[in-house]
């Protein structure tokens, strides 16, 4: 049997084991949806948006508007051997990863493709802690069911690569106990997490989840950027959205609406996109909106506030560039109290060379930042400052985190694998460590906030001050869940979708109880 035939058979078996899927209709022509109405408009076909749309489609019509293109057939997205290349190939309008630099001077990325950041990240899958779920006030059983729904479709147990096996022992040598083996739960110690890469090295993004809804109930509009939410004449209810082509070729605006009685607009555009769209729609701090001559719909002070990104430090443990096989993270080390998270990967530095990184993040940073609009152009990245290491507690935590990283990098297993010549002088002393942290702080790409529950949205993710408008994504989080937030954002889309279906069912039953069999109102007590 040839290798290609073997790979094809394995791929078919994987697809069968994860259930058959039929993808919905997709188009990049705005005229095909302009002027139409849907039960739900989901703005952002990302990590949360696709699982939410698939769930809502079980009973209702859903339009997903995605500012990027399709991930299907794109090797930079789908093939593990090209892991990280999408971050090297960015442009202004069409690349699957869009780069931005925070006002802190730290380079960062956001997904711009159906599947969102699940199409450009390391694919590491790990659930939130029980404490996070409890603090969020979520239904524990529904959370478990929602995680399992996602996992049955796009999550796989990885086969450890050589380097991941090495760094796993490095974590253990550095004291990250106990060893938990393959484990999807967020628990102290060293573990192997799930992966959205299957055994053939193919990535399964959140876009795959659309194929597990009712495809005839879903329409996906690609390469379209939402300009703003449309409200009714009283500015109290969302009735649709305005959008334009993403490619910059035209400024022509189009409109699409939700059904009049109970239709909803749901923002799932991520921690940068969702607060940006609220601000462009006139929902946010009045003074900031006035500065840009945006008519105020709701003076909501906390839109764009309480932004947070986990400060991270990355050590390059191989002294020079080589040409290794690229490796996304498969193993995580979780410190006592979940205080620090460590992972490692082999990343491309260009098309032909790689470096090995061991990186750690502060799980619960105290520093907070803010997002603002640079302009009223929806294609332009907003301005954001995270204030990395801005608090004394964060800076002190970074010192301890660097010491832990050094323990891993200098472990016997790691140094033997890389060669003793790779040993470097240890950083020592608070001042030297502080200087190193300030000079080398970077992102773990787990930024969140801007539409936090309790300040911008309520516990049902409804935006304060208006009806029929919600935000369901990582912008609602005050802290990043688990080792990596992807699993919980995927779960959140499913979780909130089920809750919304139950709400609609309850509303329907209420309507039926109010009407007699002939359709006339029943006498009220």
């Amino acid at each position: 049997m040839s290798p290609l035939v073997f790979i094809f058979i394995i791929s078919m078996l994987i697809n069968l084991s994860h259930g058959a899927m039929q993808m919905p209709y997709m188009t990049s022509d705005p005229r095909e949806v302009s002027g139409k109405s849907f039960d739900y408009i989901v703005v952002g076909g990302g990590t949360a948006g696709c699982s939410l749309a698939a769930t809502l489609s079980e009973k209702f019509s859903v339009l997903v508007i995605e500012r990027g293109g399709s991930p299907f057939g794109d090797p930079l997205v789908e093939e593990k051997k090209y892991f990280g290349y999408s971050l090297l190939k960015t442009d202004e309008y069409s690349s699957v990863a869009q780069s931005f630099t925070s006002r802190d001077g730290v380079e960062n990325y956001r997904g711009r493709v159906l599947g969102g950041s699940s199409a450009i990240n390391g694919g590491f899958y790990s659930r939130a802690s029980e404490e996070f779920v409890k603090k969020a006030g979520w239904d524990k059983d529904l959370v478990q069911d929602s995680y399992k729904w996602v996992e049955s479709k796009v999550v796989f147990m990885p086969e450890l690569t050589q380097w991941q096996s090495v760094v796993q022992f490095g974590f253990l040598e550095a004291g990250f106990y106990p060893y938990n083996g393959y484990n999807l739960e967020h628990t102290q110690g060293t573990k192997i997490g799930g992966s959205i890469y299957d055994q053939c090295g193919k990535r399964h993004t959140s876009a795959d989840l659309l194929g597990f809804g009712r495809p005839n109930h879903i329409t996906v509009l690609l390469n379209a950027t939402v300009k703003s939410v449309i409200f009714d004449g009283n500015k109290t209810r969302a009735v649709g959205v305005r959008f334009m082509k993403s490619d910059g070729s035209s400024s022509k605006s189009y409109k699409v609406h939700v059904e009049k009685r109970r239709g909803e607009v749901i923002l799932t555009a991520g921690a940068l996109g969702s607060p940006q769209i609220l601000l462009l729609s006139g929902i946010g701090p009045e003074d900031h909106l006035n500065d840009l001559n945006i008519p105020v719909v709701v003076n909501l002070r906390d839109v764009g506030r309480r932004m947070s990104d986990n400060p991270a430090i990355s050590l390059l443990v191989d002294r020079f560039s080589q040409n290794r096989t690229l490796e996304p993270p498969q193993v995580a080390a979780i410190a006592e109290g979940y205080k620090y998270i460590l992972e490692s990967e082999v990343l491309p530095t260009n098309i032909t060379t790689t470096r090995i990184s061991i990186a750690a993040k502060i799980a619960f940073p105290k520093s907070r930042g803010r997002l603002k609009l640079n302009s009223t152009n929806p294609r332009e990245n907003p301005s954001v400052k995270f204030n990395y290491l801005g608090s004394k507690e964060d800076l002190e935590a970074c010192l301890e985190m660097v010491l832990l990283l050094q323990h891993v990098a200098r472990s016997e297993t790691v140094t033997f694998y890389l060669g003793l010549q790779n040993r470097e002088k240890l950083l020592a002393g608070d001042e030297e460590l502080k200087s190193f942290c300030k000079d080398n702080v970077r992102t773990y790409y787990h930024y969140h906030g801007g539409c936090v529950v309790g300040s911008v949205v309520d516990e049902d993710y409804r935006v304060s001050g208006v009806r029929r408008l919600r935000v369901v994504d990582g912008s609602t989080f005050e802290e990043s869940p688990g080792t990596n937030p992807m699993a919980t954002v995927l779960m959140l889309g499913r979780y909130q979708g089920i809750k919304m279906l139950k709400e609609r069912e309850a509303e329907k039953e209420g309507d039926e109880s109010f009407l007699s069999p002939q359709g006339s109102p029943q006498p009220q007590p």
Side-chain angles (χ1 to χ4, degrees), residues 5-230:
V5 172
F6 177 75
I7 291 172
F8 175 76
I9 292 173
I10 293 297
S11 297
M12 291 295 292
L13 290 173
I14 288 170
N15 289 334
L16 287 172
S17 68
H18 277 60
M21 65 177 187
Q22 180 184 350
M23 297 307 295
Y25 179 69
M26 301 185 189
T27 179
S28 292
D29 187 347
R31 295 170 298 181
E32 291 194 42
V33 301
S34 181
K36 293 184 178 179
S37 295
F38 297 82
D39 293 309
Y40 292 99
I41 298 175
V42 174
V43 179
T47 309
C50 289
S51 56
L52 175 64
T55 303
L56 293 174
S57 75
E58 293 173 13
K59 294 188 177 180
F60 299 99
S61 63
V62 184
L63 172 66
V64 178
I65 303 179
E66 167 54 44
R67 67 197 187 103
S70 170
F72 301 110
D74 186 340
L76 294 186
V77 172
E78 292 192 325
E79 297 185 34
K80 187 164 70 171
K81 65 181 180 181
Y82 297 123
F83 164 66
Y85 280 170
S86 63
L87 306 188
L88 301 178
K89 295 174 67 66
T90 63
D91 58 38
E92 186 174 4
Y93 294 122
S94 62
S95 56
V96 297
Q98 182 180 14
S99 64
F100 70 95
T101 301
S102 70
R103 288 170 54 213
D104 313 272
V106 175
E107 187 177 17
N108 215 318
Y109 299 92
R110 54 193 295 216
R112 183 171 53 191
V113 61
L114 191 66
S117 292
S118 72
I120 65 171
N121 64 11
F124 193 92
Y125 183 97
S126 183
R127 297 177 176 185
S129 66
E130 291 183 3
E131 290 88 342
F132 185 94
V133 172
K134 184 177 180 181
K135 185 177 177 181
W138 293 335
D139 180 304
K140 183 178 179 181
D141 292 337
L142 183 54
V143 165
Q144 290 293 314
D145 290 344
S146 300
Y147 274 128
K148 290 176 181 177
W149 181 83
V150 171
E151 290 154 11
S152 69
K153 294 162 176 57
V154 296
V155 180
F156 305 84
M157 179 178 176
E159 295 181 11
L160 285 194
T161 60
Q162 189 176 49
W163 169 249
Q164 293 296 317
S165 298
V166 168
V167 80
Q168 174 180 238
F169 284 105
F171 290 151
L172 292 169
E173 282 187 54
F176 290 94
Y177 284 104
Y179 178 64
N180 297 303
Y182 177 64
N183 196 325
L184 299 181
E185 300 297 340
H186 190 50
T187 182
Q188 178 185 328
T190 298
K191 73 167 193 173
I192 301 167
S195 177
I196 59 173
Y197 284 106
D198 66 25
Q199 284 77 10
C200 294
K202 179 183 178 182
R203 181 196 293 263
H204 295 264
T205 75
S206 66
D208 285 25
L209 297 177
L210 293 172
F212 296 97
R214 293 185 65 180
N216 59 323
H217 283 189
I218 305 174
T219 300
V220 180
L221 177 61
L222 300 170
N223 300 304
T225 296
V226 168
K227 298 175 65 176
S228 61
V229 178
I230 304 171

Side-chain angles (χ1 to χ4, degrees), residues 24 70 74 119 129 190 245 266 301 336 368 375 392 404 415 429 469 495 497 511 517-518:
S70 170
D74 186 340
S129 66
T190 298
K245 289 184 176 181
I266 310 165
R301 178 183 180 276
E336 183 177 0
R368 293 291 182 269
S375 72
K392 180 181 178 182
L404 288 172
T415 55
L469 178 62
Y495 178 93
D511 288 347
Q518 290 75 31

Side-chain angles (χ1 to χ4, degrees), residues 212-370:
F212 296 97
R214 293 185 65 180
N216 59 323
H217 283 189
I218 305 174
T219 300
V220 180
L221 177 61
L222 300 170
N223 300 304
T225 296
V226 168
K227 298 175 65 176
S228 61
V229 178
I230 304 171
F231 299 97
D232 65 1
N234 296 321
K235 305 294 184 184
T236 59
R237 178 169 60 90
V239 297
V241 297
R242 298 178 186 87
F243 62 93
M244 64 199 303
K245 289 184 176 181
S246 296
D247 61 9
S249 64
S250 171
S251 59
K252 183 177 179 180
S253 181
Y254 302 85
K255 294 180 183 180
V256 64
H257 294 85
V258 293
E259 59 93 5
K260 291 184 178 180
R261 193 169 183 205
R262 291 201 175 96
E264 290 191 54
V265 175
I266 310 165
L267 305 185
T268 56
L272 263 62
S274 289
Q276 179 185 25
I277 292 169
L278 286 182
L279 291 169
L280 290 170
S281 304
I283 299 177
E286 186 174 21
D287 55 350
H288 181 45
L289 298 177
N290 288 337
D291 287 342
L292 292 165
N293 296 315
I294 298 174
V296 178
V297 174
V298 181
N299 180 15
L300 197 53
R301 178 183 180 276
D302 285 331
V303 174
R305 295 183 187 269
R306 295 162 76 176
M307 295 292 298
S308 182
D309 191 13
N310 303 83
I313 295 292
S314 174
L315 298 184
L316 298 176
V317 293
D318 49 349
R319 276 195 165 181
F320 52 87
S321 297
Q322 298 189 43
N323 187 13
R324 301 178 187 268
T325 300
L326 299 170
E327 295 184 19
Q330 297 176 323
V331 178
I334 303 168
E336 183 177 0
Y338 312 130
K339 190 175 181 182
Y340 308 111
I341 312 294
L342 284 72
E343 294 173 358
S344 182
E345 53 197 4
V346 181
L347 288 165
T349 52
N350 57 43
I351 297 299
T352 58
T353 59
T354 62
R355 296 298 302 270
I356 299 177
S357 162
I358 301 177
K361 75 170 183 178
I362 299 171
F364 310 113
K366 303 294 183 184
S367 305
R368 293 291 182 269
R370 184 177 177 187

Side-chain angles (χ1 to χ4, degrees), residues 425-440:
K425 174 181 172 292
L426 283 170
L427 295 169
D430 285 358
E431 292 308 311
E432 186 178 12
L433 287 166
K434 284 181 182 178
S435 178
F436 180 83
C437 282
K438 290 177 180 178
D439 291 343
N440 293 280

